[in-house]
Amino acid sequence: MNTNTVPITLEKNFLLIPIWSGEKMVRISLSIDGQNVREFDAELATTKEQISFWSFLDITAFQKKDATLKLDGATEEGISLITQADEIPGASEFYSESLRPQFHFSQMLGWNNDPNGMVYYDGEWHLYFQHNPYGWKWGNMHWGHATSKDLVHWEQLPIAIYNKQHGDWAFSGSAVVDEKNTAGWQTGNEKVIVASWTSTGRGECIAYSNDRGRTFTEYEGNPVVQHAGRDPKIIWYQPGEHWVMAVYDESEEAGRSIAFYTSEDMKSWEFQSKLEDYYECAEIFELPVDGDTNNTRWVVFAADARYAIGQFDGKVFLPEHDGKYQVHYGKYYASQLFNNSPDGRKIQIGWAQIEMPSMPFNQTFSFPHSLTLRTTDTGIRMFAEPVKEIEILHQKQHSTKNIYLTEDQPADLEVSGELFDIRARFEVRDATTIGIDIGGEQVIYNTKENQLNGAEMTPINGEITVQILIDRPMMEIIGNNGRVFLTTSRQQRGRVSTISAFAEGGQARLVSLEANELRSIW
């Protein structure tokens, strides 16, 4: 493999890398004074005509420095296209692309997968995320960063955590606010935000921020835990006044499991227990049952979002049932809850595995949703509903109610737009199928199988409710006020002029239907 070295003086805001999705991978490193400061792989375009998009490397921290660019496997033509600029090419078109989610957060460019480091602090919701800023596919794992003041509108900030070196990537993890300064890292008036992540070359690592989560300093004692595993989730356990780390772990004895560690300062951790049969991206939290703060349960889940309910004493989780339950279905994975949410809200975001072909970005995130525990006919179950802040985006509303539906008599709403929050309530009666048609794409409830688009859901007192969030590339279907939550690609894309409620194989009563046109967050 040929290696090229190029001396360069860093004079502008960005080093621009031309990307062609499908080209062979080139290893690129940027070094200053003989030390690599950035190292990654990229599908480097070789001609201007090939360029799918321009990736950008923020070099503001290295202004006026003399550096060396090293490229393994690059062509002379590809190297000649790398340049510096103060602006990102095509930035004026970001967020207006044909498949760009308009009210779900997505990164400007490149790839995302797991949400990371989700934490609320002093009016800001922080969403860090697994991010490849140099390509459309998975790779080069960094922590991207976005913030919001209302859980709806997001601003992407510079990358928060870079990989240590090539092959030592910054994998998933979490963030907390160290309210009591237990680690002793606070240097000013701001509380410290502490991030924990898996360094793939070292183990579970810690870094801290004194500037509201914008930049992080690595703890010199990293790694704080070494084992076969990844994705640490740290929470504060108030009854014991200590920190808990729930982290995916692999061993011959326990197989795939969640391991629980405890610490008083986030520097020294002590192993406590394992919970078997969970795979990556562990999560643990406490919720009141039916809103009763005197009757609470703990919930655990991992990347597939299948969960267990039980008790947790700060060291050991004891499930109170066999197996696992399910609320999420479809293209939903590796979710996380915000730590430190105000008013005790438990708000979750998952990786929405929606491909964006021919776009300069790929994948996105679910709309934030609130979690609750409620008593049902089959026991205590978790419910997931879009956060109430979705109503910030409501514009024109169209509605109808109390219509008897048959195969020959649907209920139509004339609408105009691409983005909708649709809410419907049906009395099932003797229909075999009930549904909502959104411009030719149908959401269907099968009354014989008791399934909403394939997810099991039983009527309550003979009725079902459905909420559907429609965005450009995707939709989320919420049944029975959060009993099921489905994330899926949108098959019939584009503007919609008619939304209909319908029934087949008998009669159903449409109790109510409303379609709220939504404005874009961009």
Side-chain angles (χ1 to χ4, degrees):
M1 179 181 294
N2 62 303
T3 299
N4 297 86
T5 57
V6 180
I8 183 172
T9 301
L10 304 178
E11 299 174 322
K12 297 185 181 293
N13 293 332
F14 303 108
L15 187 66
L16 301 179
I17 313 294
I19 303 299
W20 179 35
S21 297
E23 183 56 278
K24 67 178 182 179
M25 205 68 74
V26 171
R27 183 168 299 177
I28 301 174
S29 63
L30 182 71
S31 62
I32 297 174
D33 297 330
Q35 297 294 318
N36 279 355
V37 293
R38 299 289 183 262
E39 194 170 12
F40 54 92
D41 295 325
E43 295 171 300
L44 186 66
T46 56
T47 68
K48 287 185 178 180
E49 291 73 25
Q50 285 181 335
I51 297 173
S52 302
F53 62 90
W54 288 92
S55 174
F56 60 93
L57 174 60
D58 187 337
I59 52 175
T60 55
F62 311 122
Q63 289 291 293
K64 308 304 180 184
K65 299 276 189 180
D66 291 327
T68 300
L69 199 59
K70 180 181 176 183
L71 304 100
D72 292 336
T75 64
E76 294 290 344
E77 295 84 353
I79 294 170
S80 68
L81 292 172
I82 297 174
T83 187
Q84 298 183 64
D86 288 325
E87 303 292 335
I88 303 165
S92 62
E93 299 176 8
F94 292 166
Y95 307 115
S96 64
E97 301 94 339
S98 61
L99 292 182
R100 174 72 71 175
Q102 293 297 289
F103 62 95
H104 295 77
F105 172 72
S106 59
Q107 65 287 354
M108 294 178 190
L109 296 171
W111 163 279
N112 80 263
N113 50 286
D114 310 356
N116 294 160
M118 289 168 51
V119 66
Y120 175 87
Y121 173 64
D122 190 29
E124 287 186 320
W125 302 88
H126 292 267
L127 171 62
Y128 301 92
F129 54 94
Q130 289 287 277
H131 183 33
N132 178 10
Y134 311 114
W136 189 82
K137 303 170 186 174
W138 185 94
N140 298 315
M141 286 295 99
H142 298 58
W143 271 32
H145 186 199
T147 60
S148 175
K149 295 186 182 300
D150 61 8
L151 280 174
V152 176
H153 299 88
W154 294 91
E155 178 186 2
Q156 185 168 340
L157 300 179
I159 289 169
I161 298 177
Y162 286 87
N163 58 303
K164 191 72 172 176
Q165 61 186 32
H166 189 276
D168 187 354
W169 307 112
F171 268 24
S172 290
S174 58
V176 295
V177 179
D178 191 0
E179 297 278 3
K180 299 183 179 182
N181 196 27
T182 61
W185 288 321
Q186 184 172 335
T187 58
N189 294 327
E190 299 285 359
K191 299 295 184 181
V192 176
I193 294 178
V194 179
S196 59
W197 79 98
T198 299
S199 165
T200 59
R202 295 175 291 165
E204 314 309 340
C205 290
I206 297 285
Y208 54 93
S209 172
N210 277 287
D211 61 357
R212 302 177 64 89
R214 270 60 180 176
T215 61
F216 286 87
T217 301
E218 270 212 40
Y219 169 50
E220 65 275 11
N222 279 335
V224 295
V225 172
Q226 286 182 294
H227 66 133
R230 57 181 176 274
D231 314 329
K233 177 61 189 270
I234 294 179
I235 63 168
W236 176 252
Y237 183 72
Q238 183 57 45
E241 294 192 333
H242 65 251
W243 299 101
V244 172
M245 178 191 292
V247 61
Y248 170 61
D249 186 89
E250 289 182 349
S251 69
E252 292 185 4
E253 299 80 18
R256 292 176 168 181
S257 62
I258 295 174
F260 295 102
Y261 293 78
T262 58
S263 175
E264 294 183 356
D265 60 5
M266 288 185 281
K267 300 174 182 176
S268 299
W269 293 87
E270 182 180 357
F271 170 76
Q272 299 295 344
S273 66
K274 288 186 180 181
L275 178 66
E276 296 182 10
D277 193 27
Y278 288 84
Y279 177 63
E280 64 184 11
C281 301
E283 180 66 272
I284 182 166
F285 55 99
E286 187 179 19
L287 275 173
V289 179
D290 301 321
D292 182 0
T293 55
N294 294 314
N295 180 24
T296 65
R297 297 290 191 279
W298 285 81
V299 180
V300 296
F301 59 76
D304 66 359
R306 295 176 187 267
Y307 67 94
I309 298 170
Q311 301 293 338
F312 183 62
D313 64 0
K315 297 180 179 180
V316 178
F317 177 84
L318 296 174
E320 54 187 44
H321 57 87
D322 295 330
K324 299 176 186 178
Y325 300 138
Q326 187 172 4
V327 62
H328 285 288
Y329 297 81
K331 296 178 179 293
Y332 183 95
Y333 196 73
S335 61
Q336 192 171 113
L337 272 67
F338 284 100
N339 277 330
N340 203 43
S341 294
D343 305 320
R345 299 171 72 187
K346 301 299 184 184
I347 298 174
Q348 183 181 41
I349 291 177
W351 167 22
Q353 298 172 313
I354 310 292
E355 282 205 348
M356 312 294 183
S358 303
M359 295 290 106
F361 60 94
N362 191 14
Q363 313 290 300
T364 184
F365 297 94
S366 70
F367 191 79
H369 37 283
S370 296
L371 300 182
T372 53
L373 287 180
R374 305 176 200 170
T375 303
T376 72
D377 290 342
T378 54
I380 299 171
R381 296 292 187 271
M382 191 163 70
F383 287 65
E385 293 184 274
V387 294
K388 59 188 178 184
E389 286 86 348
I390 184 69
E391 296 179 4
I392 295 171
L393 302 179
H394 282 192
Q395 297 190 103
K396 188 174 183 180
Q397 184 184 98
H398 311 266
S399 64
T400 188
K401 62 182 179 180
N402 196 28
I403 296 176
Y404 286 89
L405 305 172
T406 64
E407 290 195 23
D408 299 326
Q409 184 178 337
D412 297 334
L413 294 177
E414 300 304 314
V415 300
S416 179
E418 291 182 281
L419 319 174
F420 298 94
D421 177 3
I422 304 165
R423 307 183 189 196
R425 181 180 166 196
F426 297 89
E427 183 186 342
V428 174
R429 299 176 76 87
D430 66 352
T432 59
T433 300
I434 299 167
I436 302 288
D437 185 294
I438 308 105
E441 183 159 11
Q442 294 185 343
V443 173
I444 293 175
Y445 182 72
N446 183 318
T447 66
K448 301 302 181 184
E449 301 292 334
N450 286 335
Q451 290 186 346
L452 177 65
N453 272 40
E456 293 185 11
M457 188 180 83
T458 304
I460 301 172
N461 298 323
E463 294 186 348
I464 64 165
T465 66
V466 179
Q467 181 179 6
I468 310 167
L469 302 184
I470 300 291
D471 207 339
R472 282 183 178 172
M474 64 186 295
M475 62 181 180
E476 290 162 309
I477 306 165
I478 301 93
N480 280 358
N481 301 308
R483 182 65 188 87
V484 298
F485 193 111
L486 298 93
T487 303
T488 184
S489 298
R490 190 174 168 193
Q491 302 304 311
Q492 191 77 27
R493 294 169 176 159
R495 295 185 66 83
V496 174
S497 58
T498 304
I499 293 174
S500 304
F502 64 89
E504 297 173 349
Q507 187 187 75
R509 185 170 74 94
L510 176 65
V511 179
S512 61
L513 171 65
E514 67 176 56
N516 300 280
E517 297 177 13
L518 303 182
R519 62 174 60 89
S520 170
I521 66 173
W522 308 119

